[in-house]
Amino acid sequence: MSKYNPKDIQILAQKVVEIVTATPEKGQHIGEIEQAMRELFQEVGQQSLQMLLEAKGQAQKRTLACECGGTLHYVAQRPATVITVFGRVRYKRAYYSGCGCGKGKAPLDDEYRLKPGAVTIGLANLLSLAGIQFSFEESCAWLKEFLLFEVSENTVRQETERMGELMTKMEAAWIAQSQREDWLQMRQGQNEPVPETLYCAIDAAKVRTEPRAKAGQPKEPHEDWRDVKCLVWFEAEEVPLALQTGRDRSKTARQEVPRRAVRKEYACDITDTTQFGELLWATGCQRQADRCARLVFLGDGAPWIWNLVQTHFPHAIQIVDWYHAEEHLENVARAAFATDVRQQETWLKNAKQALWEGRVEDVIRACQALADDCEEAAKNVSYFSNHAERMRYDRFRQQGLVISSGVIESGCKQIVTQRLKLPGAQWLVDGAIYTAKARAAWLSGRWQTLCQQRAALPLAI
């Protein structure tokens, strides 16, 4: 239901029809009519916004108090221009100066958080949303079709990174909060909902960044790839029969209940494992990970993942992603029986069945039997031995737990691959971090929170 007066809307709509039909060259078919209306609404928006700002920007007083404690005096109605969702809007507003500190002030700009020559908050939100979806260059072309005016690539980059900075500050506040004993204790008495079972999956994906100079040496032209560490907190629910995919049905056939991730929240950074561990702990506290009855971590065989889990959540259930473990068996089979496909298939079938049933010791013995003549098998003896307790898949299935980390692999693709690894992309580290964090915020459903924080900034820069 419209929040505006229907009669007012009807009057405006009739006027729009009159204007559009008065220019028949723009109304040959529906597409032209739609475009003509968009152009008209843009001009109406520009003029309406100008009128509103100028009406609000009239001088109400001859003098104002200055922040320094002195007095500002009314000078004139000075012009300014801002870039809005309707394009450039030029307006006049009361301007004050004359204080001994040398500073001037336009009360309207402060009230609406405007900065002459810069974009408004509403436009900034749209620019940053485009910037997390497309390359900054492509964003400009897309925005021109959408907004009917051009914005610069640099402006899109700045606004996108500003959102990432806000997400970084939010996470820094969480980290500081999560390290306070009084805050952690206070939460114990609160009635916030705590999930019965909470999952976290961790992984990393590489992004190409500007080369780092080695200590004492000039920067050399080469590619420098950095790990974007990613995590996702989520809960799981059974997939309804009507929505099950072929993979889901195959899980049912092998007595695994198909589940999907819900209430997903992502976090990411380019940093060392210690600092990423602080982010892991802080975001976990936001999701009540330290209070839930059953906490489950999923990952591949990377030691840094399990070291972090053991440090921050030592009582959590740890599960190596089933498909990663299965892939290791496939590598052994291919290497050990490269010339005998039938023997390869037989060994792999038996090994997978043993792994599926949680008989990791049988898998280790099967690899040991091949280790003398196969380096891949010897390597995987250690792999399965080190992760034996993380591969009790029979037990995990009986407990109704998710055993695959596909949700974080998808997250890495959406955050890193689809945005940061576009053809030819090479990033400054801060730019990569801020863009990734902004995109993670969008995927986590935190975008409106960032927009509200953006609107609360002293000035829309």
Side-chain angles (χ1 to χ4, degrees):
M1 187 176 181
S2 174
K3 59 183 178 181
Y4 300 105
N5 188 314
K7 290 185 178 180
D8 293 338
I9 296 296
Q10 188 175 16
I11 293 171
L12 288 173
Q14 182 59 45
K15 191 62 179 178
V16 168
V17 172
E18 292 174 5
I19 294 173
V20 171
T21 54
T23 54
E25 69 276 5
K26 293 190 175 183
Q28 300 301 315
H29 56 71
I30 189 63
E32 291 178 344
I33 293 173
E34 289 176 317
Q35 184 67 10
M37 286 185 173
R38 289 183 64 203
E39 293 170 355
L40 175 59
F41 291 147
Q42 183 183 49
E43 292 190 29
V44 170
Q46 289 174 348
Q47 292 191 27
S48 299
L49 193 53
Q50 176 189 0
M51 293 168 62
L52 183 148
L53 293 176
E54 291 190 342
K56 294 283 188 179
Q58 296 295 317
Q60 304 296 320
K61 300 178 180 179
R62 303 306 301 177
T63 60
L64 291 176
C66 183
E67 293 179 357
C68 72
T71 302
L72 292 166
H73 301 272
Y74 172 71
V75 176
Q77 296 293 119
R78 284 193 176 177
T81 301
V82 288
I83 310 171
T84 77
V85 294
F86 306 110
R88 292 182 180 274
V89 172
R90 184 177 174 83
Y91 64 100
K92 292 182 179 180
R93 79 282 196 235
Y95 187 80
Y96 295 77
S97 66
C99 180
C101 69
K103 293 182 179 179
K105 181 177 183 179
L108 179 76
D109 294 349
D110 291 346
E111 180 182 356
Y112 287 97
R113 296 183 176 86
L114 303 172
K115 184 174 182 179
V119 302
T120 60
I121 294 168
L123 180 58
N125 294 343
L126 293 179
L127 299 185
S128 54
L129 190 55
I132 64 170
Q133 301 290 348
F134 313 108
S135 71
F136 298 129
E137 181 181 2
E138 186 181 359
S139 293
C140 295
W142 184 85
L143 285 162
K144 183 179 179 181
E145 293 296 317
F146 181 71
L147 297 172
L148 303 181
F149 63 88
E150 292 184 354
V151 291
S152 72
E153 183 177 332
N154 193 49
T155 300
V156 177
R157 177 185 290 105
Q158 288 176 345
E159 296 306 331
T160 304
E161 292 181 1
R162 177 60 59 89
M163 284 298 198
E165 287 185 80
L166 289 174
M167 191 66 240
T168 301
K169 290 179 181 179
M170 187 188 301
E171 290 172 347
W174 291 345
I175 290 172
Q177 195 176 51
S178 68
Q179 294 174 353
R180 287 172 37 210
E181 188 65 32
D182 62 326
W183 181 80
L184 294 172
Q185 291 178 351
M186 176 191 68
R187 293 163 64 247
Q188 300 301 321
Q190 294 179 342
N191 293 323
E192 293 184 27
V194 179
E196 179 68 23
T197 301
L198 181 66
Y199 294 86
C200 182
I202 306 174
D203 205 349
K206 292 190 178 295
V207 62
R208 189 173 66 165
T209 62
E210 290 289 338
R212 288 174 287 180
K214 297 179 181 179
Q217 297 182 12
K219 186 182 294 185
E220 299 177 358
H222 68 281
E223 291 184 346
D224 191 15
W225 291 86
R226 303 284 295 273
D227 274 338
V228 182
K229 297 181 178 68
C230 301
L231 64 85
V232 56
W233 294 97
F234 67 98
E235 296 170 51
E237 64 181 20
E238 187 173 342
V239 181
L241 183 62
L243 298 179
Q244 289 185 9
T245 63
R247 173 176 279 193
D248 292 328
R249 289 189 288 273
S250 68
K251 290 180 179 180
T252 302
R254 65 186 187 188
Q255 298 181 332
E256 179 186 359
V257 178
R259 290 180 171 82
R260 63 182 177 184
V262 295
R263 292 175 284 283
K264 296 174 284 188
E265 292 186 359
Y266 297 89
C268 58
D269 210 339
I270 300 177
T271 187
D272 59 40
T273 52
T274 299
Q275 290 184 322
F276 191 73
E278 293 177 353
L279 182 61
L280 170 67
W281 169 251
T283 54
C285 289
Q286 293 296 314
R287 288 295 298 263
Q288 310 291 334
D290 55 324
R291 300 176 61 197
C292 67
R294 194 165 59 169
L295 180 62
V296 182
F297 278 86
L298 294 154
D300 57 23
W304 69 271
I305 294 176
W306 304 114
N307 290 339
L308 281 181
V309 175
Q310 192 62 35
T311 298
H312 296 281
F313 299 98
H315 302 299
I317 298 171
Q318 300 178 16
I319 303 177
V320 167
D321 168 62
W322 162 257
Y323 296 103
H324 276 86
E326 189 179 40
E327 185 178 0
H328 277 258
L329 290 179
E330 292 170 353
N331 292 339
V332 172
R334 281 193 296 267
F337 307 104
T339 60
D340 191 333
V341 176
R342 179 172 295 182
Q343 196 171 2
Q344 180 184 126
E345 292 176 348
T346 300
W347 185 93
L348 183 59
K349 179 181 178 181
N350 292 335
K352 282 185 178 181
Q353 187 61 34
L355 186 63
W356 182 252
E357 295 173 358
R359 294 183 284 111
V360 189
E361 288 74 18
D362 289 351
V363 174
I364 295 171
R365 283 191 287 270
C367 291
Q368 286 174 330
L370 304 172
D372 290 343
D373 300 316
C374 178
E375 183 179 349
E376 186 68 27
K379 183 172 64 175
N380 275 280
V381 169
S382 298
Y383 173 78
F384 287 103
S385 297
N386 292 338
H387 297 295
E389 294 309 309
R390 302 185 181 108
M391 295 179 176
R392 303 299 181 185
Y393 298 113
D394 59 331
R395 184 195 312 160
F396 300 146
R397 296 198 316 279
Q398 290 171 4
Q399 295 173 0
L401 300 179
V402 173
I403 61 173
S404 66
S405 61
V407 61
I408 190 58
E409 292 181 24
S410 173
C412 285
K413 289 178 181 177
Q414 293 183 79
I415 294 171
V416 183
T417 306
Q418 293 178 8
R419 180 58 188 92
L420 302 187
K421 295 177 74 172
L422 294 173
Q426 185 164 327
W427 296 80
L428 295 174
V429 173
D430 284 349
I433 291 173
Y434 293 146
T435 303
K437 285 183 178 292
R439 189 161 170 81
W442 168 260
L443 295 172
S444 303
R446 296 196 185 99
W447 194 254
Q448 287 306 313
T449 300
L450 291 187
C451 289
Q452 291 169 5
Q453 291 189 4
R454 179 75 173 78
L457 294 175
L459 286 174
I461 299 175

